[in-house]
Amino acid sequence: MVEIKQREAMDPAYQWDLSSVFESDETFELSLESLKEQLPEVTAFKGRLSESPEVLADAIDTLENYSRQLHTLYVYTSLKRDQDQGNDTYQRYEAQASQLLSEYAAATSFFQPELLAIDPEELEDFIRRSERLQFYRHYLEDATRQRKHVLSPAQEKLLAQAREVLSAHSDTFSLLNNADLSFGTIKDEAGQEVPLTHGSYSKYMESTDRRVRRDAFEGLYAQYEQFKNTFASLVSTQMKSGNFRAKARHYDSARQAALDSHNISEDVYDTLVDTVNEALPLLHEYVALRKDMLGLDTLEMYDMYTPLLGDPPISFTYDEAKDVVLKALAPLGSDYTAILTRAFDEKWIDVYENKGKRSGAYSSGSYDTKPYILMNWQDGLNSLYTLVHELGHSVHSELSNTHQAYVYSNYPIFLAEIASTTNENLLTQYLLDTYQDKETQAYVLNHFLDGVKGTVFRQTQFAEFEHFMYTQEAAGEPLTAQFLSKHYQELNAKYYGSSVNSDSQIALEWARIPHFYYNYYVYQYATGFSAATYFAQGILKGEAGMLESYVNFLKSGSKDYPIAIMQEAGLDMTQTDYIQATLNAFNERLQAFKAL
Ligand SMILES: [Zn+2]
């Protein structure tokens, strides 16, 4: 095993350069102090928003300007902390910046209610009279469009006070699932006794030793079985709480309320679920193929993740990968690849693992910083996919930051995953075009098929079950463990088909999904991946205007609602076509994979 080095012992050529954010820790400290002192300038607008258009515009400018500086401070401390989590100084800085964020949120809590208190006609008159406010029109409309779902001040106060109680079950789930639950040990491939944890469970699911997979699966679910009534009670409280809040705010349903936060219509959700349901025979075909390739009489759910093809036949070092990235993303045009070159040359990326560095990968930055990337590079194909994914987020941020004012620069997750997975799609096609040998073709096709299985099919399965739980609860059905397991098992059988045995502990999977506590979040993975496949295909085919529309979307930030931004890019996400295009690509590549 290779020893993981201290950060100081690593080559700085492969570390991000944060000196352009703050030259030194001293300049950071000075900025933090000065920003703390400016907080009263924000609160000075309390009680004054309705005075005149000029005062309202001044208030927005002041708040936005403050938030912009604060965001940069926070990004600096969180990146510094993540590069070495053992560093006390940066832990402290991060805590100080978080503290100031909370103080800012409290200091500006007057803003929304006061804005809503201005009569709609008067606000419209304000906007008409002030050019400065015209620039903020979308911002103001977005801030006030939920007017009819805002309650009286006394009711709002009560709801705010009840907020912690209404979400306590989510913390309880987290503590039970991550801290209290213990899965004991299993014997690994070498017969060594090893602890079973959430992290090692995913690793053992990919084991090529079936006995290890089975022991991990049964060991994990035994614990969920033991506490299934508690988990049912927790997840049921999530649905009760969501339904209660939706009802209190005069929404028809919890889903309508959740999607309304980004002005997304429920059609988008229903279209996804319906379209994916019609295509389930394709997933059944893929699962049947897995059963054949593994040569099993009965395919179990713990056989779903073991690799069909062993190690990747091609592998890249980071330096080789830079060249692959530029070639694979060349279809996005020279302006796009010029930004990629800057990402490499200006050291946006913290490449390798070091002692204390945060695991995984992300893209993060503020309006005034570079959109940095943290990753833990390992030679191979997975890190290459991670790199193009995170670069997709970073270029999206760079373009939105360059082309939008701060107030419209921040895009929602619904759009974010489109930019990152479009790049993954382009990489897949590049690898298929470039490496014609049978082994690489099969490996890359399989990687794509697993991507659609995990992101489109599986996340839609979760989305369908999540909605089922909310609607059943709303209809007065008690969400007992038995009820949830029965329906989860049926859903699992519907999605994966008759080649796999769904009559197992998989019925309890609902108990261990943290995303069921995220309030209608998971569907966005499936819509994002599908939209990305649609764009990547159109760009590669050279469809007229497709590239231009796509790049325009990347420049749009949040200047409009996400569905409208997609509409402008030529994609109507209330319709089924873009999901259909993705499922067609799945089918074509499934047949190609079978032929190999
Ligand atoms: Zn992402």
Side-chain angles (χ1 to χ4, degrees):
M1 201 164 147
V2 192
E3 173 114 41
I4 298 164
K5 288 186 190 162
Q6 297 284 352
R7 186 165 179 86
E8 294 68 33
M10 308 279 293
D11 183 352
Y14 296 97
Q15 294 175 340
W16 52 28
D17 175 15
L18 302 181
S19 66
S20 62
V21 187
F22 287 106
E23 237 170 76
S24 65
D25 289 348
E26 288 67 41
T27 45
F28 161 78
E29 285 186 20
L30 288 173
S31 291
L32 180 72
E33 283 316 311
S34 122
L35 209 54
K36 274 187 193 164
E37 283 163 22
Q38 288 170 44
L39 200 55
E41 292 171 22
V42 170
T43 30
F45 286 96
K46 193 173 175 196
R48 296 190 53 207
L49 297 188
S50 62
E51 268 177 33
S52 71
E54 282 312 300
V55 172
L56 180 56
D58 285 345
I60 301 173
D61 282 348
T62 308
L63 263 66
E64 290 298 310
N65 184 39
Y66 193 94
S67 146
R68 176 173 166 178
Q69 295 178 64
L70 180 54
H71 193 198
T72 296
L73 282 178
Y74 181 75
V75 161
Y76 180 75
T77 63
S78 70
L79 298 180
K80 281 281 192 182
R81 181 206 48 195
D82 288 349
Q83 68 182 30
D84 181 0
Q85 293 176 327
N87 185 309
D88 288 349
T89 308
Y90 296 122
Q91 277 183 20
R92 189 160 46 81
Y93 283 175
E94 198 272 343
Q96 286 171 333
S98 290
Q99 170 70 22
L100 191 54
L101 271 175
S102 311
E103 284 170 28
Y104 173 74
T108 54
S109 63
F110 71 90
F111 186 83
Q112 172 102 352
E114 244 186 72
L115 189 65
L116 286 167
I118 304 175
D119 179 78
E121 273 169 38
E122 196 187 349
L123 185 61
E124 183 53 42
D125 185 53
F126 268 26
I127 298 173
R128 257 200 307 271
R129 280 160 51 201
S130 157
E131 224 168 276
R132 287 170 69 201
L133 287 183
Q134 274 155 35
F135 174 73
Y136 286 124
R137 177 178 279 284
H138 174 65
Y139 168 87
L140 288 166
E141 280 177 0
D142 194 27
T144 55
R145 75 189 156 79
Q146 291 171 317
R147 193 184 291 273
K148 65 176 186 202
H149 300 291
V150 176
L151 310 177
S152 73
Q155 288 171 319
E156 282 294 335
K157 196 173 168 197
L158 199 62
L159 273 184
Q161 285 167 347
R163 205 158 84 191
E164 217 175 306
V165 181
L166 286 172
S167 64
H169 61 278
S170 168
D171 297 333
T172 311
F173 166 79
S174 212
L175 287 168
L176 175 59
N177 200 39
N178 298 316
D180 292 348
L181 218 57
S182 159
F183 304 112
T185 60
I186 61 163
K187 287 208 166 69
D188 71 4
E189 292 84 350
Q192 295 281 358
E193 188 144 315
V194 285
L196 182 62
T197 62
H198 289 293
S200 67
Y201 175 74
S202 337
K203 195 180 84 188
Y204 295 132
M205 277 303 104
E206 291 176 20
S207 174
T208 48
D209 185 336
R210 197 171 191 221
R211 199 264 313 149
V212 172
R213 299 200 295 270
R214 188 197 61 216
D215 289 355
F217 183 83
E218 291 178 351
L220 186 98
Y221 278 107
Q223 289 308 300
Y224 287 101
E225 172 71 38
Q226 194 181 341
F227 295 103
K228 64 183 176 187
N229 297 309
T230 308
F231 280 109
S233 163
L234 289 169
V235 82
S236 155
T237 309
Q238 168 72 20
M239 278 66 213
K240 280 187 179 142
S241 160
N243 285 332
F244 164 76
R245 277 179 286 130
K247 208 169 160 187
R249 293 194 178 283
H250 314 299
Y251 280 102
D252 297 340
S253 68
R255 187 175 73 170
Q256 190 190 45
L259 270 58
D260 194 41
S261 65
H262 288 297
N263 204 22
I264 290 167
S265 91
E266 289 183 274
D267 296 354
V268 173
Y269 202 101
D270 287 330
T271 303
L272 172 74
V273 173
D274 292 346
T275 312
V276 168
N277 263 276
E278 277 170 34
L280 288 177
L282 288 176
L283 182 58
H284 300 170
E285 193 179 334
Y286 184 45
V287 172
L289 179 68
R290 168 168 282 274
K291 184 180 165 184
D292 281 355
M293 286 181 73
L294 292 173
L296 295 168
D297 289 337
T298 337
L299 187 74
E300 295 289 345
M301 284 307 287
Y302 53 75
D303 299 319
M304 283 302 223
Y305 298 97
T306 183
L308 292 174
L309 297 168
D311 288 334
I314 43 170
S315 173
F316 303 94
T317 65
Y318 176 72
D319 284 310
E320 291 164 348
K322 290 200 258 186
D323 189 45
V324 177
V325 167
L326 291 172
K327 285 180 182 154
L329 303 183
L332 294 174
S334 54
D335 290 351
Y336 194 101
T337 46
I339 300 175
L340 296 173
T341 306
R342 279 179 51 215
F344 297 132
D345 294 348
E346 295 174 2
K347 302 209 291 173
W348 295 5
I349 308 169
D350 209 71
V351 182
Y352 296 112
E353 188 177 9
N354 58 247
K355 218 169 204 152
K357 182 169 165 179
R358 187 189 189 278
S359 62
Y362 65 67
S363 160
S364 170
S366 79
Y367 191 68
D368 294 303
T369 73
K370 289 155 186 158
Y372 292 100
I373 291 173
L374 175 143
M375 62 184 302
N376 289 274
W377 178 274
Q378 302 280 340
D379 291 352
L381 219 44
N382 282 342
S383 281
L384 177 60
Y385 270 96
T386 305
L387 179 61
V388 295
H389 180 105
E390 299 308 335
L391 281 167
H393 289 313
S394 286
V395 176
H396 188 187
S397 298
E398 180 67 13
L399 286 170
S400 283
N401 291 346
T402 312
H403 292 270
Q404 299 298 327
Y406 173 70
V407 64
Y408 297 132
S409 61
N410 213 351
Y411 49 80
I413 177 85
F414 186 85
L415 295 177
E417 288 305 306
I418 300 175
S420 55
T421 43
T422 295
N423 285 4
E424 289 192 48
N425 265 282
L426 293 172
L427 175 61
T428 296
Q429 195 55 52
Y430 171 80
L431 295 173
L432 289 175
D433 291 344
T434 311
Y435 299 92
Q436 302 277 349
D437 62 287
K438 207 173 145 183
E439 286 71 31
T440 310
Q441 290 281 312
Y443 192 90
V444 174
L445 287 170
N446 189 40
H447 185 279
F448 174 81
L449 296 172
D450 280 341
V452 177
K453 170 164 86 72
T455 314
V456 179
F457 287 109
R458 185 168 162 80
Q459 300 302 330
T460 304
Q461 178 192 3
F462 289 162
E464 190 172 341
F465 196 70
E466 181 179 13
H467 188 50
F468 170 80
M469 290 193 285
Y470 277 105
T471 47
Q472 289 296 310
E473 202 289 323
E477 180 70 43
L479 303 184
T480 64
Q482 199 190 6
F483 177 84
L484 293 172
S485 292
K486 176 178 175 285
H487 286 277
Y488 196 84
Q489 187 193 354
E490 284 168 11
L491 189 71
N492 203 73
K494 181 174 87 168
Y495 269 73
Y496 297 100
S498 55
S499 300
V500 68
N501 176 24
S502 287
D503 188 14
S504 69
Q505 291 125 309
I506 197 65
L508 281 164
E509 193 173 34
W510 57 265
R512 53 176 280 258
I513 307 299
H515 288 86
F516 287 155
Y517 296 83
Y518 289 13
N519 197 18
Y520 286 102
Y521 188 90
V522 286
Y523 81 100
Q524 306 175 102
Y525 292 122
T527 53
F529 191 101
S530 301
T533 312
Y534 165 88
F535 282 121
Q537 281 183 340
I539 290 165
L540 287 168
K541 281 186 202 143
E543 277 175 28
M546 186 66 102
L547 176 59
E548 203 191 351
S549 308
Y550 180 73
V551 175
N552 273 337
F553 141 58
L554 298 180
K555 292 175 181 170
S556 297
S558 57
K559 67 167 187 167
D560 206 337
Y561 301 118
I563 294 293
I565 285 179
M566 280 294 109
Q567 208 111 42
E568 203 186 313
L571 174 54
D572 182 352
M573 291 183 75
T574 62
Q575 299 296 313
T576 175
D577 323 24
Y578 77 105
I579 309 167
Q580 204 61 60
T582 307
L583 297 166
N584 291 345
F586 181 82
N587 188 24
E588 274 168 35
R589 285 175 170 164
L590 175 60
Q591 303 318 322
F593 182 61
K594 274 183 148 174
L596 286 167

